[in-house]
Amino acid sequence: MAGARNAWEVFQSGGDPAGVQAEIVKSWRRSQWSGVDPEHLEVGHSEVDDESAFVRTAAPVLSHMADVLVGSSTCLALADLSGNLSWRWVSEPLLGRRLDRFQFEKGARFGEEHVGTNAVGISLESGRSAVVVGKEHYKQPLHGWACAAEPVIHPITGQVCGAVNVTCRAADANQLLRMAVRSLANGVRSAMYSASSAKQRRLLDAFLTYRAETTRPVITLYDHIMIANEAATALNLDQSSLWAAVQEAGPAATVIRVSGTVTAHVYPVTPGRPSDGVVLLPLAGKPSDGRRGEGIRAGRPTSPHPSGLSPIEQAEAEIVGNVLAECEGNKSAAAVRLGISRGTLYQKLRRYRLVSES
């Protein structure tokens, strides 16, 4: 790591470092802008919730791995969303005492803005796994250590819950660090999915089903959970406000106003029981009668849907009919709004026995 040390010294003296990963240099710059002291160890401490749902689920996964690491001079740790260490395990007492001297202990603030470049901080900042070895750390007192970390994304909500971390002496670091931390993160995600309720899994299943059938924004919603695809995330809709709108609209609602001129078609995850959660398909524009919570009545099928349609096909038929009504029968405009070709729209009109093609 002589090259890294020279690069670190060059950077600290105001020069342009060479021979160091771009991600590390970017983190050095962020650390410098945050006013992190590169010479002194002090990282500070915060109150942490060591009984959080994340710790309760993740700690047993890491503890299981710990059984094979005894005697290996390895530390496993969990950090919350701010990078504060909320749980720690060490393979041997001596390592624990050494880490205590370097303030790598429960409650220590290892977010990048507090301690500078380190794996926990980079992983939470970038949303990806990170490995920082020796003199790649921003703080000089940490140059004797190596660490790897990966953010843990909840398999149901898609939200980052915290990060898992593996730490060892810099002299013991190898290419297996990244593999180890990824394995731990995957194990924690699997445990989270197993620990989720049947209702939460139904929400995820519904989201995946609808997402596979459309390029439109898709949101699956419950009283404290929101799962959204990229198109829906771009709308910047608030979960609590959306759920309040669903509840206000009532169980018979097929369309609700969600924001400004954006409305959304509503499909209960459990038919007839929106209290179990709903799928929202946002659409620019507003219901034809302008009132929240009332379905668009114009443009309904001229004859009943054909028998044997799957739930997703029934939902699609409803969407096509509603969009066509919003476009006042203009098939070209409806095709554009649906994100499909005019020919595909005609096929769906015939398939679902919707308004005539004339």
Side-chain angles (χ1 to χ4, degrees), residues 4 8 22 29 41 53 55 86 109 113 115 120 141 160-161 166 170 176 239 251 258 264 277 279 318 350:
W8 184 85
R29 291 187 176 125
L41 178 63
V55 173
S86 52
R109 298 186 300 180
E113 70 274 21
V115 75
V120 169
V160 176
C161 301
V166 179
L176 297 179
Q239 185 275 334
V258 296
V279 177
E318 184 81 6
R350 290 192 295 268

Side-chain angles (χ1 to χ4, degrees), residues 130-198:
V131 177
V132 178
V133 180
K135 299 170 181 65
E136 293 176 337
H137 287 91
Y138 187 76
K139 278 187 177 288
Q140 187 276 334
L142 299 178
H143 285 181
W145 297 96
C147 54
E150 179 159 329
V152 176
I153 300 174
H154 197 284
I156 302 295
T157 66
Q159 301 299 307
V160 176
C161 301
V164 296
N165 171 269
V166 179
T167 294
C168 65
R169 294 175 301 180
D172 297 331
N174 56 52
Q175 66 272 20
L176 297 179
L177 269 178
R178 193 183 297 271
M179 294 175 59
V181 78
R182 283 180 174 170
S183 176
L184 290 172
N186 287 335
V188 173
R189 282 191 285 269
S190 295
M192 286 180 163
Y193 186 80
S194 298
S196 61
S197 67

